[in-house]
Amino acid sequence: MAKKVGVLTGGGDCPGLNPAIRGAVMRGLDFGYEMVGLVEGWRGLMEMKTTPLSLEVVDGIISQGGTILGSSRTNPFKSEDTAKVAGENFKKLGLDALIAIGGDDTLGAANKLFKAGFNTVGVPKTMDNDLSCTDYTFGFDSAVSVAVDAIDRLRDTARSHRRIIVVEVMGRHAGWVALWSGIASDADWILIPEVPADMNAMCAHLKGLGNRGKQWGIVVVSEGVVLDPNQADGIEKDDFGNIAHLAGQDLAKTIADYVKQATGIDTRHAVLGHIVRGGSPTIFDRVLGTRVGVKAAEMVEAGDWGKMAALQGNDVVAVPLDKAVGVSKTVPPELYDLAKIFFK
């Protein structure tokens, strides 16, 4: 029976992390667990930095964005030596179980820790909504809501000045944020990583808007869209091997310059970047974060190790981490076809 349970949040922050922490702690207290937070994700395990997670600590944090535990992109399995330290520190901290809250990288590390013989469970988190085996991840709804609000404001400027505005949103490998925010904000074109960018078709469409009396336009683009196959060469990467700073590629500016040259229409660009990560979580993300956090504590109580709490339909269920990590959930072609209906 677990007595001391650790909780960590790894990778990029997003709204919903605090509700998930709160849900796990509240349910863990029901089982009589001592709940402790590992500070700054896997770095907390590697450096043995912990903080108590009591009722008083988590009470009221459901409305707060970010994570009270802090986060990092530390990879405990970067080498054999770091993996050994991770296992040793797990024992030194006296942990009976660990709840890892994060995306593919964080949960991938949790899966490796489980396979090394340690009691771990996972909670899926990513504003990109690209984790497999779960219909939605908390952070996504909040991010899209912020993006849509920003695009709605940019539309007013585009209309007033008879401009096209290219809006770049987050999404490294999957275009869920771009697609959802583009559809919801009545964008005139959407570019996502899953579909090769047809710049000529896009520019012809944007230029043709004037034929129906529309003198402005909005293009939403995911930061992971590839215009040049060699564009990732030499770009800084994090401990997990992911490109660390996609914003440094000036994708939105490159597209805006191309559109202006091809169409002759005054074009501007805006990069929303980390703005969509912050702020209070939406109601959907507060409830989803709470539910998967609670489920994680219940999985600990049941000894259901090596699994994560996933939303499937309206149910939160335990699914093997092996099936959930390593393969991104990308936008299927039929959903992009849905968006194309509105490129008129």
Side-chain angles (χ1 to χ4, degrees), residues 126-303:
T126 168
M127 52 150 287
D128 292 325
N129 199 41
D130 61 352
L131 264 172
S132 297
C133 299
T134 186
D135 293 344
Y136 287 97
T137 50
F138 62 78
F140 174 67
D141 187 72
S142 298
V144 170
S145 297
V146 173
V148 169
D149 179 70
I151 296 168
D152 285 347
R153 294 168 187 268
L154 289 167
R155 185 192 300 109
D156 291 342
T157 294
R159 182 188 295 112
S160 297
H161 292 275
R162 312 298 195 258
R163 290 172 177 161
I164 292 171
I165 298 183
V166 178
V167 187
E168 180 183 323
V169 298
M170 284 189 164
R172 181 187 295 152
H173 303 298
W176 292 102
V177 175
L179 185 71
W180 252 229
S181 59
I183 292 175
S185 62
D186 192 25
D188 297 283
W189 202 269
I190 303 169
L191 296 170
I192 61 175
E194 294 88 340
V195 180
D198 189 338
M199 301 290 281
N200 292 331
M202 179 182 71
C203 289
H205 170 70
L206 295 173
K207 192 171 184 179
L209 293 177
N211 295 332
R212 58 182 179 89
K214 187 174 183 179
Q215 297 176 294
W216 55 274
I218 294 289
V219 174
V220 178
V221 55
S222 174
E223 65 179 345
V225 167
V226 174
L227 300 180
D228 177 1
N230 298 316
Q231 71 184 83
D233 291 351
I235 295 177
E236 179 186 351
K237 295 186 178 181
D238 62 23
D239 281 357
F240 290 93
N242 299 311
I243 296 172
H245 299 294
L246 280 171
Q249 299 176 92
D250 290 328
L251 179 64
K253 182 180 184 303
T254 299
I255 293 174
D257 290 345
Y258 188 99
V259 170
K260 184 175 183 178
Q261 183 176 10
T263 66
I265 303 171
D266 190 23
T267 306
R268 297 288 191 274
H269 71 280
V271 180
L272 301 188
H274 289 78
I275 290 173
V276 302
R277 283 196 183 278
S280 183
T282 59
I283 294 172
F284 181 87
D285 282 343
R286 295 185 196 194
V287 174
L288 178 56
T290 297
R291 292 183 69 190
V292 291
V294 166
K295 180 64 175 180
E298 293 175 345
M299 289 159 62
V300 170
E301 178 69 5

Side-chain angles (χ1 to χ4, degrees), residues 319-343:
V319 299
L321 284 168
D322 259 344
K323 294 183 177 180
V325 301
V327 179
S328 295
K329 181 183 70 178
T330 54
V331 175
E334 58 269 21
L335 284 182
Y336 189 71
D337 289 341
L338 171 67
K340 288 164 63 178
I341 294 172
F342 303 98
F343 297 169

